[in-house]
């Protein structure tokens, strides 16, 4: 449940009060919060002030969905990765935010999660990967329950825009939506009011950004952020920094994809600037920044104190900019919206398996397969449902695959195997799924008998029993050959390295000036 002192600014000051603010501020949320906790870690504020700052921070439940994703297995050194979902709400319910973002007529409406980024910190803390999801990505929002009033928001009927998830009970529903889509366990979320970026950019003396031509983000109908910059590299701060992060009209094709790229450049530049300016200005200035940053922040209970945020910032600071990789979820247009592609699933897999997106991981020694806590039953006692998942974006499902593989299992002694002949699913790779620990041994036994690797055995509550989905990698034949893993980041993710100081946004000629 939420616990917070009354606040006059910040996203969480009233999650249901519905502030609407400019879109496109997700990058600055993490940045502002990170700076604040770094500052607070060195400040000399007394205990009472520390408690006051803790009271500023608003709390919300981490996951409002019914389904949970298992935590990743620790590596040989006992380390586990850390996944943090950054959420940028478009809500405007404070005077300060409305002054920065306008649109008073939208006061009180349901907020939208217009910016969503997953930050993945590797288990060994050597690298960091960031995946942005466009706000108009079509996804299935799962059933979510608001912990404040127990209101149940049913699962979406078909696919809908991902930014609507925030209005289904709070940020915990956005977390649930990400976990359902990606299969990635999310440890924390951070949602920060965009007004904090003004103090943030001022505190570091501006964040350098680059445009390849003069730009003015404003069209004849008044659309645009108002950003006006000359060609070249310039430090932006205050409201101008907000304009950069909001700009869609004027960058490349004018889409949210272009805006995400500009946000990635800003975030990389901000990280470099913070490292270069280790000593920030006066204590009073830092105190003011800390006050605004904590009031702007909504987090899950695992990050609900200054101490916890400071500890998190120390973990994030272990990564050098050259090992930070920013990406956009690979997607394709569906009308005016977008949907994830198979490259997106590949990107999600790399994160799930803690593989660095910059391709600079040291060669990992395969860890020995652990025995399940509950051993497999006898082969003829294992019940298994076989489904046909061979449909792809370009190919129809291969006919009869569920029945063929069921017959193969029966020949091997799994006499309780049965084929689901009513479903034609789409699964890139053949997988064996199971719902609970007592069935893990059975699932692994099935996989081993068919030559399916242990990495393709997954625990999920999406199935009620051991379920084999014959994927697009096994469209014919009775012998499964596991495909060679390609651990390279897809080109369609448009990866940007954190140390790239030459990155420059392309200006749409319709928005330039001389």
């Amino acid at each position: 449940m939420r616990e917070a002192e009354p606040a006059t600014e910040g996203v969480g000051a009233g999650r249901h009060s519905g502030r609407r603010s400019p879109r496109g501020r997700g990058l600055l949320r993490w940045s502002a919060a990170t700076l604040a906790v770094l500052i607070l870690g060195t400040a000399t504020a007394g205990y009472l002030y520390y408690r006051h700052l803790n009271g500023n921070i608003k709390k919300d439940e981490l996951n409002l969905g019914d389904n949970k994703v298992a935590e990743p297995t620790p590596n040989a050194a006992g380390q586990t990765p850390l996944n943090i979902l950054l959420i940028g709400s478009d809500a405007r319910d404070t005077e300060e935010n409305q002054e920065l973002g306008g649109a008073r007529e939208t006061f009180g409406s349901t907020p939208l999660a217009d910016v969503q980024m997953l930050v993945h910190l590797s288990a060994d803390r050597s690298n960091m990967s960031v995946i942005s999801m466009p706000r108009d990505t079509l996804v299935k929002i799962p059933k979510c329950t608001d912990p404040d009033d127990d209101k149940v928001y049913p699962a979406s009927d078909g696919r809908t825009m991902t930014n609507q998830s925030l209005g289904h009970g709070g940020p915990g529903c956005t977390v649930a939506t990400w976990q359902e889509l990606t299969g990635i366990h999310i440890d924390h979320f951070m949602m920060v009011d965009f007004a904090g970026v003004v103090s943030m950019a001022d505190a570091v003396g501006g964040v350098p950004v680059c445009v390849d031509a003069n730009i003015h983000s404003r069209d004849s109908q008044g659309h645009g952020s108002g950003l006006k910059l000359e060609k070249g590299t310039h430090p932006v701060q205050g409201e101008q920094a907000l304009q950069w992060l909001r700009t869609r009209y004027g960058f490349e094709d004018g889409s949210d994809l272009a805006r995400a790229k500009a946000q990635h450049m800003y975030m990389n530049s901000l990280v470099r600037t913070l490292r270069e300016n280790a000593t920030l200005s006066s204590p009073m200035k830092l105190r003011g920044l800390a006050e605004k940053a904590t009031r702007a922040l909504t987090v899950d209970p695992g990050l609900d104190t200054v101490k916890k945020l400071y500890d998190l910032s120390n973990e994030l600071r272990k990564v050098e900019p050259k090992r930070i990789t920013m990406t956009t979820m690979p997607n394709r247009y569906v009308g005016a919206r977008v949907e994830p592609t198979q490259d997106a699933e590949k990107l999600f897999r790399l994160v799930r398996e803690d593989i660095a997106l910059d391709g600079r991981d040291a060669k990992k020694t395969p860890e020995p397969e652990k025995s399940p806590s509950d051993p497999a039953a006898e082969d003829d006692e294992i019940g298994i449902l076989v489904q046909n998942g061979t449909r792809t974006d370009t190919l129809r499902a291969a006919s009869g695959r569920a029945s063929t593989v069921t017959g193969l299992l029966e020949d091997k002694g799994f006499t309780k195997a049965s084929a689901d002949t009513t479903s034609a699913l789409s699964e890139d790779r053949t997988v064996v799924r199971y719902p609970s620990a007592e069935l893990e041994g059975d699932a692994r036994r099935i996989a081993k008998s068919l030559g399916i690797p242990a990495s393709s055995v997954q625990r999920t509550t999406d199935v009620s029993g051991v379920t084999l989905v014959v994927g697009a990698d096994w469209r014919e034949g009775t012998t499964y050959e596991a495909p060679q893993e390609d651990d390279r980041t897809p080109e369609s993710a448009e990866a940007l390295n954190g140390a790239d100081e030459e990155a420059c946004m392309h200006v749409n000629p319709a928005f330039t000036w001389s």
Side-chain angles (χ1 to χ4, degrees):
M1 297 294 179
R2 294 156 197 79
E3 303 173 7
E5 295 181 2
T8 58
E9 50 188 65
V11 163
R15 173 167 59 75
H16 296 292
S17 59
R19 287 169 304 155
R20 295 185 59 83
S21 59
R23 298 178 176 124
R25 279 81 63 205
L27 292 171
L28 57 94
R29 332 288 162 160
W30 174 79
S31 306
T34 300
L35 176 64
V37 296
L38 289 173
I39 290 168
L40 294 172
T42 58
T44 57
Y47 176 66
L48 291 179
Y49 186 59
Y50 172 80
R51 289 187 61 188
H52 165 73
L53 291 175
N54 283 346
N56 286 345
I57 302 170
K58 292 157 283 291
K59 279 80 70 176
D60 213 333
E61 295 298 321
L62 176 61
N63 187 350
L64 303 186
D66 292 339
N67 297 334
K68 311 300 177 186
V69 174
E71 296 182 21
T73 303
N75 63 17
Q79 303 165 307
T80 54
L82 194 59
N83 296 307
I84 308 159
L85 186 63
L86 312 179
I87 302 170
S89 166
D90 79 338
R92 289 191 194 107
D93 58 4
T94 73
E95 214 170 286
E96 181 181 8
N97 287 327
Q98 287 188 353
E99 287 176 0
L100 291 169
R104 292 180 181 274
E105 70 274 8
T106 62
F107 185 92
S109 58
T110 302
L112 301 171
D114 267 358
V115 180
Q116 301 171 32
M117 292 186 177
L118 182 68
V119 175
H120 172 81
L121 185 60
S122 66
D124 63 5
R125 304 306 189 248
S126 68
N127 66 88
M128 185 189 303
S129 303
V130 180
I131 301 176
S132 294
M133 184 189 297
R135 67 188 176 94
D136 51 3
T137 301
L138 297 175
V139 298
K140 291 183 179 179
I141 300 176
K143 183 184 82 171
C144 292
T145 304
D146 190 326
D148 280 351
D149 55 14
D150 292 328
K151 179 178 179 179
V152 175
Y153 293 82
S156 61
D157 184 13
R159 298 188 303 175
T160 188
M161 285 174 58
T162 183
N163 64 352
Q164 296 182 19
S165 60
L166 186 60
H168 290 215
C173 193
T174 306
V175 169
T177 301
W178 267 80
Q179 290 197 155
E180 291 280 337
L181 175 67
T182 67
I184 298 169
H185 173 81
I186 296 176
D187 301 280
H188 301 291
F189 77 80
M190 298 176 70
M191 184 168 70
V192 184
D193 183 85
F194 72 95
V197 78
V198 175
S199 298
M200 171 69 173
D202 289 346
V204 299
V207 177
V209 296
C210 176
V211 287
D212 67 359
N214 297 343
I215 181 174
H216 187 201
S217 177
R218 188 73 72 200
D219 67 10
S220 58
Q221 284 77 46
H223 299 136
S225 69
L227 177 71
K228 191 171 185 178
L229 283 177
E230 293 183 356
K231 176 181 178 179
T233 300
H234 310 275
V236 293
Q237 55 186 325
E239 188 171 359
Q240 194 174 44
L242 282 175
Q243 290 174 335
W244 175 274
L245 294 165
R246 292 175 55 206
T247 295
R248 178 162 65 91
Y249 293 94
F251 285 154
E252 300 188 352
D253 62 355
S255 69
D256 280 322
L257 306 179
R259 176 160 51 193
K261 184 183 294 185
Q263 292 172 344
H264 293 166
M265 290 182 185
Y266 180 94
M267 188 170 180
N268 283 339
S269 184
L270 176 60
V271 170
R272 292 193 299 268
T273 302
L274 285 172
R275 286 180 172 273
E276 292 165 3
N277 298 337
T279 304
L280 296 172
S281 53
S282 70
M284 287 304 295
K285 193 171 184 179
L286 298 184
R287 177 169 175 153
L289 175 60
E291 187 74 37
K292 287 192 174 183
T294 51
R295 283 189 179 275
L297 188 63
T298 302
V299 299
D300 67 275
L303 293 177
D304 62 358
T305 68
V306 170
K307 172 65 166 58
K308 292 175 183 177
L309 290 169
Y310 177 64
D311 289 344
L312 172 62
S313 74
N314 280 338
E315 292 296 292
L316 295 171
R317 280 174 58 86
K318 292 177 182 178
V319 181
E320 296 289 335
K322 64 183 179 182
R323 297 302 313 278
I324 298 174
T325 305
M326 304 283 180
T327 65
T328 299
M329 181 199 74
N331 60 81
R332 61 170 164 259
Y333 279 102
V334 181
R337 311 303 180 199
V338 299
E339 65 181 4
T341 62
Q342 290 187 1
D343 276 355
E345 171 51 34
K346 178 180 178 181
L347 195 65
F348 301 152
R349 177 183 67 79
L350 294 177
V351 170
R352 286 196 301 266
E353 297 179 10
D354 197 25
I355 296 170
L357 298 187
D358 62 7
R360 297 178 57 196
D361 266 341
K363 190 169 181 64
K364 296 180 180 179
T365 303
E367 297 184 16
E369 184 179 337
K370 296 181 180 179
S371 299
S373 55
D374 194 3
E378 295 298 322
D379 291 354
D380 60 0
E381 291 298 321
I382 297 176
I384 180 168
L385 179 68
V386 183
Q387 296 179 319
N388 186 347
T390 58
R391 179 170 53 84
T392 72
D393 294 336
T394 57
L395 298 172
R396 294 180 179 179
S399 178
R401 291 306 292 162
S403 298
T404 297
V405 176
T406 296
L408 177 62
L409 285 167
E410 289 174 341
D411 290 344
K412 290 177 176 291
F414 297 95
T415 54
K416 289 191 174 182
S418 61
D420 175 4
T421 58
T422 63
S423 301
L425 309 177
S426 179
E427 197 74 48
D428 191 35
R429 299 183 57 185
T430 298
V431 292
V432 180
R433 297 186 170 119
Y434 64 99
S436 53
E438 61 268 20
L439 293 177
E440 180 180 4
D442 293 355
R444 290 197 183 188
R445 172 63 187 140
I446 291 287
K448 186 175 182 179
S449 72
L450 295 174
I452 299 170
S455 60
S456 294
V457 179
Q458 304 169 352
R459 178 175 174 176
T460 173
T461 53
D462 287 343
V463 296
S464 57
V466 179
T467 303
L468 167 63
V469 183
V470 183
D473 59 348
W474 197 11
R475 291 179 59 86
E476 58 186 20
T478 55
T479 301
Y480 178 72
E481 296 182 5
Q484 286 290 106
E485 294 285 15
D486 179 5
D487 292 340
R488 294 172 297 179
T489 300
E491 289 187 10
S492 56
E494 299 193 59
L496 178 66
N497 185 270
D500 184 355
E501 298 185 37
E502 303 300 319
C504 201
M505 284 304 298
H506 174 62
V507 175
N508 187 313
F511 290 86
T512 192
W513 52 277
S514 58

